[in-house]
Amino acid sequence: MTKLGAVFVPQWEPERLRGVARAADEAGLEELWLWEDCFFESGVASAAAALAWTERLRVVVGLLPVPLRNVAVTAMEAANLERMFPGRSMLGLGHGVQDWMGQAGARAESPVTLMREYATALRALLGGEKVTVSGRYVNLDGVELVWKPAGAPPLLVGASGPRSLRLCGEVGDVVILSGGTTPEGTARARALVEEGRAAAGRTDPVTLAVYLIAATGDDHQERLRRAHATWGMTEPVGDVTVGGDAAAIAAGLRRWADAGADTIVLQPTEDEPSPEDFVRFVATELRPLVS
């Protein structure tokens, strides 16, 4: 069954998160996704707050820009969240938007090398190992978590280029595709991810998650067109967004599910009139129609 999530977009004020998270939890939404976009909101702080405000909701940060964070810190934060809220949190790793990384003085010359070193070290740390490594970017000397998670949470990674997608398949458990990915692009990404897993000798399954801009309501077409323009997407609106009532959106989602998406994360438009109603819509009206 295709899993559904919804995004609390960072263009909304942080103080709005509490109401949205509680609405999602009460409605039975499977996953609420957060972004650490520069320079809006912190992913880990937001995730911890959302988890504390809710009882059942899984909260996913997709993604953390790894150039901004030492891997030991990310391991501590992921372990703490897992111990405090078992099975309810996941942190994803991404290259970060390179212009933003340059603004923060953290731009890596080789994002692919950084991601490989970072993901490998993070998996080992969350697996309870004592890690010593001397790499191009990641350097640890006998680092071991004191408060280890009872079970290491899945490792999420996200990217868009062919080399990065193969790497995601090599090192990740969940691979995240950016908004603007068409069904055809989803199928191509799935193939590249599987190439990476085969090259690494991995036989365990991988989950493919994709962001998809969505809108409902009488003005959904206008809002989707504005979102399409805001994000500078070049594909036709209908190939990168879904809109309408629950039946229309469910029918649209099948294109991405058939292309290989295991999780579809619905991204509301920035001018969504009620984020609370949006997460309720996904959980109570759309979920029953998506199998």
Side-chain angles (χ1 to χ4, degrees), residues 65-260:
V66 299
L68 291 179
R69 294 175 175 273
N70 184 284
V71 68
V73 174
T74 300
M76 288 189 292
E77 290 179 326
N80 278 21
L81 290 176
E82 179 60 26
R83 289 180 67 101
M84 292 187 291
F85 309 100
R88 292 182 54 213
S89 68
M90 294 193 296
L91 301 182
L93 310 178
H95 295 315
V97 175
Q98 295 308 296
D99 287 346
W100 291 343
M101 298 302 98
Q103 284 180 271
R107 185 166 184 163
E109 184 178 353
S110 176
V112 171
T113 300
L114 169 57
M115 178 64 76
R116 176 177 282 107
E117 293 180 359
Y118 199 105
T120 302
L122 182 61
R123 185 183 292 278
L125 289 167
L126 292 176
E129 299 179 30
K130 178 182 288 188
V131 180
T132 296
V133 62
S134 179
R136 181 173 177 181
Y137 296 104
V138 175
N139 294 277
L140 301 173
D141 183 8
V143 176
E144 181 179 6
L145 294 177
V146 174
W147 299 112
K148 302 174 178 62
L155 184 60
L156 284 70
V157 286
S160 56
R163 286 184 63 211
S164 292
L165 284 169
R166 291 188 186 96
L167 174 62
C168 289
E170 177 185 334
V171 302
D173 302 312
V174 180
V175 177
I176 305 170
L177 306 182
S178 63
T181 303
T182 65
E184 295 76 15
T186 300
R188 289 193 297 271
R190 166 67 78 175
L192 289 166
V193 167
E194 295 297 346
E195 285 179 19
R197 296 182 78 72
R202 295 186 65 175
T203 58
D204 52 322
V206 62
T207 296
L208 197 68
V210 61
Y211 289 117
L212 184 59
I213 297 176
T216 189
D218 293 339
D219 63 343
H220 72 272
Q221 292 181 335
E222 180 182 350
R223 289 193 287 116
L224 289 176
R225 283 194 294 268
R226 286 199 296 266
H228 185 270
T230 296
W231 287 94
M233 295 176 177
T234 58
E235 301 288 349
V237 174
D239 285 347
V240 290
T241 69
V242 288
D245 60 13
I249 293 177
L253 296 186
R254 293 190 189 103
R255 298 175 60 201
W256 279 266
D258 290 345

